Amino acid sequence: MQTREIDPVEDLLAYAHPSTPLAWLRRGDGIVAVGDAMPTFIRIPAGTASMRSAMMADAWRELADAAEIDDPMKLPGTGLVGFGALTFDEDSASDSVLIVPSVILGKRKGRGWITRIAPAGDDLPQDRPDATLERRAYGAHWAGTLGPGQQSPNGYQASIRAALGRIGAGEISKVVLARDLAGTVPGGSDLRRLVRELSSGYPDTWTFAVDGLIGASPETLVTVQDGTVTARVLAGTIGRGADADEDNVVSASLSSSVKDIDEHEYAVQSVLISLRPHTRALASSEQPFLLKLPNLFHLATDVEGELSDGASALDLVGALHPTAAVAGTPTKAAIAAIRELEPFDRGRYAGPVGWVDGNGNGEWAIALRCAQFEVGSLRGRDDDETLGVTAYAGAGIVAASNPETELLETRVKFRPLVDALA
Ligand SMILES: C=C(O[C@H]1C=CC=C(C(=O)O)[C@@H]1O)C(=O)O
């Protein structure tokens, strides 16, 4: 494979495939797979005996070890890259995937590049590596529908009450329960429009499109870059106020809410415990800070350490997932409660989504504020066939949770997707 510096491209998404975009963006920077070039898929289906993230990490290591890497730039996202989306639950019926595109365009801090990945023996262009790049005009505006999914608002509140019973009985301390919205989008929709709207409306999030999973997540599961490991833990949420004064009131109430601070602390501890064996000098701030997004405030804690054992970003994904920001505490009992109290399979919602490179560096988010589009068989599909879509949002339940407030919180978390699909 070969990476070459090119003039930075203004709109990376303009080069992506309209119906199966593969993209990872933040503040206009990022990487996208170009057009129709067929990627290589590493699919880890349901029912595999061992941990799917470990199988993926092994498959990636094998591929990376065999690759000839020609990457003079050595920036995050240059060189050999695989885009991944893993299921939340090992028992999910959905596949976990790692996709290696044959052409990638990237941009970071004013520098642009093109990466071409080809089987050994194939010729790669020596000069003007971007000569054949073609922008694709965005397709017509489209709107989708989203309505009740398998978990109704009443059903959701009933599940929260059941969870509160288990918390009261001492079985669990925290569990994150989600609900779903289901709908369709017209056949032939240019899904890049949705990705573009999410990345411009929520520039501080990781905006992703991987195998039909599209969203804008504020939560960094883990990044690894040249031996430095970071994470951004989020838990504890309140909707934005109508104006600056109301924003001050609601954000102050979140910062002082014992319930939210508790909920947050479980999530921070789960990340610290999982990262500690792989790092030295692991540090996090004592107090969470307020992360302000267009739709809500979160309590946030940034974590940073130095990698001590050569683990790859994918290895750390396996060690960290599922954190208590999306599962609960203790993990096993929380997963059992989720399986019983959520009447649907989460698929890749709340799972790890991101990329890994040939040296084990990478950026991974938790797939939140997202929807799964049924694009599995999209290429070669009839253009007028509508496309199914399911969106998900959840909330952390602790002893002091109120079912109605948590339901409202999921409504606020659905906003990015619901607005962008409307
Ligand atoms: C489970 C979700 O959010 C998690 C991440 C941040 C804040 C959360 C909360 O306050 O409940 C959740 O733990 C979701 O967006 O679907």
Side-chain angles (χ1 to χ4, degrees), residues 11-219:
D11 177 16
L12 289 170
L13 275 175
Y15 296 85
H17 195 278
S19 48
T20 52
L22 190 53
W24 178 259
L25 300 166
R26 185 180 215 181
R27 298 187 194 105
D29 283 356
I31 44 178
V32 303
V34 173
D36 285 323
M38 271 312 285
T40 304
F41 279 82
I42 298 174
R43 270 192 194 279
I44 318 274
T48 44
S50 56
M51 249 178 82
R52 291 201 241 184
S53 58
M55 292 178 71
M56 192 180 278
D58 289 347
W60 178 249
R61 225 183 305 271
E62 209 171 294
L63 198 147
D65 284 350
E68 269 178 46
I69 298 178
D70 170 6
D71 171 22
M73 294 183 75
K74 294 190 172 54
L75 292 177
T78 64
L80 182 68
V81 169
F83 292 73
L86 285 84
T87 58
F88 169 79
D89 192 327
E90 284 288 329
D91 287 354
S92 168
S94 299
D95 294 348
S96 291
V97 285
L98 191 68
I99 307 173
V100 190
S102 44
V103 186
I104 300 170
L105 267 189
K107 188 166 63 164
R108 192 173 181 106
K109 296 184 180 157
R111 294 180 74 187
W113 67 86
I114 182 167
T115 296
R116 291 183 190 271
I117 301 167
D122 281 18
D123 285 340
L124 291 166
Q126 291 310 307
D127 28 65
R128 290 295 320 272
D130 53 344
T132 54
L133 277 184
E134 260 179 60
R135 289 183 95 250
R136 287 223 201 173
Y138 285 88
H141 175 83
W142 53 270
T145 60
L146 269 183
Q150 294 181 64
Q151 176 70 294
S152 67
N154 282 339
Y156 185 59
Q157 294 189 71
S159 287
I160 293 174
R161 282 192 288 276
L164 288 170
R166 291 173 190 217
I167 292 169
E171 290 169 35
I172 39 177
S173 307
K174 170 180 175 177
V175 62
V176 181
L177 290 180
R179 65 188 183 99
D180 58 332
L181 295 176
T184 56
V185 303
S189 295
D190 188 337
L191 294 180
R192 295 176 305 169
R193 280 186 169 276
L194 171 66
V195 182
R196 185 172 63 169
E197 190 143 335
L198 290 172
S199 77
S200 61
Y202 295 82
D204 291 333
T205 65
W206 301 107
T207 302
F208 52 87
V210 180
D211 203 31
L213 182 72
I214 297 180
S217 174
E219 183 148 11

Side-chain angles (χ1 to χ4, degrees), residues 176 219 234-237 263 298 325 349 368-369 393-396 409 413:
V176 181
E219 183 148 11
L234 305 179
T237 307
E263 188 183 328
H298 280 311
Y349 157 70
L368 303 172
R369 326 294 144 82
E409 187 175 310
K413 288 173 173 162

Side-chain angles (χ1 to χ4, degrees), residues 225-237:
Q225 191 59 44
D226 301 330
T228 301
V229 178
T230 74
R232 169 165 287 178
V233 186
L234 305 179
T237 307

Side-chain angles (χ1 to χ4, degrees), residues 6 24 49 65 112 115-117 125 127 129 218 234 265 270 295 305 312 320 334 345 358 375 377 384 396 403 413 416:
I6 57 170
W24 178 259
D65 284 350
T115 296
R116 291 183 190 271
I117 301 167
D127 28 65
L234 305 179
E265 194 51 29
S270 75
N295 53 332
S312 72
L320 281 161
D345 181 335
V375 296
S377 56
D384 41 5
K413 288 173 173 162

